Amino acid sequence: MNAQTPAALSPYSSSNGKASRTETHTLSVLVDNEPGVLARVVGLFSGRGYNIESLTVAEVAHAQQLSRITIVTTGTPETIEQISHQLERIVPIHKVTDLSLLGNAVERELAMIKVRGKGENRVEALRLAEAFRARVIDASLESFVFELTGAPKKIDDFVELMRPIGLVEVARTGVAAITRGPQGM
């Protein structure tokens, strides 16, 4: 969990009137794979004024028709706890796990980064890509598309280094996370 600067008070701040530090948490939500479930989850966030930093969803057990939603959100510890409890009350949700509280999660994200460049900028983009272990998945005489997988911070750092070289656009999948060790969710 990442601590950030003190946040302004929101309707969901702690009742003592003091601003708490906001934290970033990764929530893993096991749900029935049926129409409308994602809309209900997103509706909970929008209806209460919570922000979603990252959202991924995919089927994880075809025979049981289960999907896993991974949500990265920020808020005070009280707000994060409130979000978890409210998610647990949505009927097709089987389990909500705050991976940040467990402290042993592996988080990865995939990004495609398009960079324009000729001459020295082209050489520098390739050198940095090699240092970050980014793969070239498309190339032309004037641009590259790099594929980079890693922790969100690694992707942020790579994108910032590509800005002055000729960053054109970025597409990111959002965070996928899983706990370490033999236990499942």
Side-chain angles (χ1 to χ4, degrees):
M1 102 188 97
N2 302 323
Q4 298 178 349
T5 57
L9 288 174
S10 79
Y12 304 102
S13 298
S14 60
S15 59
N16 63 13
K18 295 180 183 176
S20 296
R21 293 178 63 82
T22 61
E23 299 173 349
T24 301
H25 283 246
T26 303
L27 305 175
S28 185
V29 185
L30 191 62
V31 301
D32 286 342
N33 185 10
E34 61 185 43
V37 175
L38 182 59
R40 290 177 71 186
V41 170
V42 171
L44 181 144
F45 277 79
S46 66
R48 305 273 194 294
Y50 304 142
N51 190 40
I52 296 174
E53 304 276 327
S54 170
L55 175 78
T56 60
V57 60
E59 186 175 65
V60 293
H62 183 70
Q64 295 87 6
Q65 295 184 324
L66 296 174
S67 289
R68 183 178 186 140
I69 301 173
T70 305
I71 304 165
V72 178
T73 188
T74 56
T76 64
E78 296 84 6
T79 301
I80 301 296
E81 185 177 353
Q82 187 175 32
I83 290 169
S84 293
H85 290 312
Q86 290 171 348
L87 283 170
E88 288 169 344
R89 289 197 294 262
I90 296 176
V91 171
I93 290 181
H94 295 273
K95 187 169 186 180
V96 177
T97 304
D98 187 337
L99 299 176
S100 299
L101 290 180
L102 296 177
N104 64 347
V106 177
E107 294 184 356
R108 291 293 181 266
E109 186 174 9
L110 170 81
M112 293 185 293
I113 300 103
K114 186 185 293 184
V115 179
R116 179 182 310 123
K118 290 185 175 183
E120 188 57 38
N121 281 351
R122 189 174 179 86
V123 172
E124 182 65 6
L126 285 170
R127 187 186 67 74
L128 288 169
E130 185 178 339
F132 277 78
R133 290 189 239 155
R135 291 184 335 123
V136 176
I137 58 171
D138 186 63
S140 71
L141 294 175
E142 297 180 7
S143 68
F144 291 107
V145 176
F146 297 106
E147 175 186 80
L148 180 60
T149 303
K153 174 78 168 102
K154 176 183 177 182
I155 294 170
D156 292 342
D157 292 346
F158 184 74
V159 167
E160 287 308 310
L161 288 171
M162 290 295 138
R163 264 185 218 293
I165 293 173
L167 181 70
V168 175
E169 66 180 307
V170 178
R172 295 175 80 153
T173 60
V175 172
I178 197 164
T179 58
R180 289 184 170 96
Q183 279 73 27
M185 191 175 147

Short mmCIF file of all heavy atoms in Angstrom, two decimals, residues 10 30 61 84 89 94 158:
data_model
loop_
_atom_site.label_atom_id
_atom_site.label_comp_id
_atom_site.label_asym_id
_atom_site.label_seq_id
_atom_site.Cartn_x
_atom_site.Cartn_y
_atom_site.Cartn_z
N SER A 10 -13.57 14.38 2.20
CA SER A 10 -14.67 14.02 1.32
C SER A 10 -15.82 13.57 2.20
O SER A 10 -15.66 13.40 3.40
CB SER A 10 -14.25 12.89 0.38
OG SER A 10 -14.30 11.66 1.05
N LEU A 30 -13.77 -11.75 -6.74
CA LEU A 30 -14.21 -12.94 -7.46
C LEU A 30 -15.73 -12.85 -7.63
O LEU A 30 -16.46 -12.72 -6.64
CB LEU A 30 -13.83 -14.20 -6.68
CG LEU A 30 -13.97 -15.52 -7.40
CD1 LEU A 30 -13.07 -15.57 -8.63
CD2 LEU A 30 -13.65 -16.66 -6.45
N ALA A 61 -12.33 -19.06 -14.29
CA ALA A 61 -12.76 -20.45 -14.11
C ALA A 61 -13.99 -20.67 -15.00
O ALA A 61 -15.12 -20.37 -14.61
CB ALA A 61 -13.09 -20.74 -12.65
N SER A 84 -14.60 -2.10 0.39
CA SER A 84 -14.57 -3.57 0.48
C SER A 84 -15.87 -4.11 1.03
O SER A 84 -16.44 -5.07 0.48
CB SER A 84 -13.41 -4.04 1.36
OG SER A 84 -12.19 -3.74 0.75
N ARG A 89 -21.38 -6.85 -0.35
CA ARG A 89 -22.84 -6.92 -0.29
C ARG A 89 -23.50 -7.09 -1.66
O ARG A 89 -24.69 -7.33 -1.74
CB ARG A 89 -23.39 -5.69 0.42
CG ARG A 89 -23.10 -5.71 1.91
CD ARG A 89 -23.98 -4.74 2.67
NE ARG A 89 -23.71 -3.35 2.35
CZ ARG A 89 -22.95 -2.53 3.05
NH1 ARG A 89 -22.35 -2.96 4.13
NH2 ARG A 89 -22.78 -1.28 2.68
N HIS A 94 -18.45 -13.25 -4.86
CA HIS A 94 -18.13 -14.36 -3.96
C HIS A 94 -17.11 -13.97 -2.89
O HIS A 94 -17.22 -14.41 -1.76
CB HIS A 94 -17.58 -15.56 -4.76
CG HIS A 94 -18.59 -16.15 -5.67
ND1 HIS A 94 -19.48 -17.10 -5.27
CD2 HIS A 94 -18.89 -15.89 -6.97
CE1 HIS A 94 -20.27 -17.42 -6.28
NE2 HIS A 94 -19.92 -16.70 -7.32
N PHE A 158 9.36 4.33 -17.70
CA PHE A 158 9.69 4.18 -19.13
C PHE A 158 8.97 5.25 -19.96
O PHE A 158 9.58 5.89 -20.83
CB PHE A 158 9.34 2.78 -19.61
CG PHE A 158 9.74 2.51 -21.03
CD1 PHE A 158 11.07 2.31 -21.38
CD2 PHE A 158 8.78 2.43 -22.02
CE1 PHE A 158 11.44 2.05 -22.69
CE2 PHE A 158 9.14 2.18 -23.34
CZ PHE A 158 10.47 1.99 -23.68
#
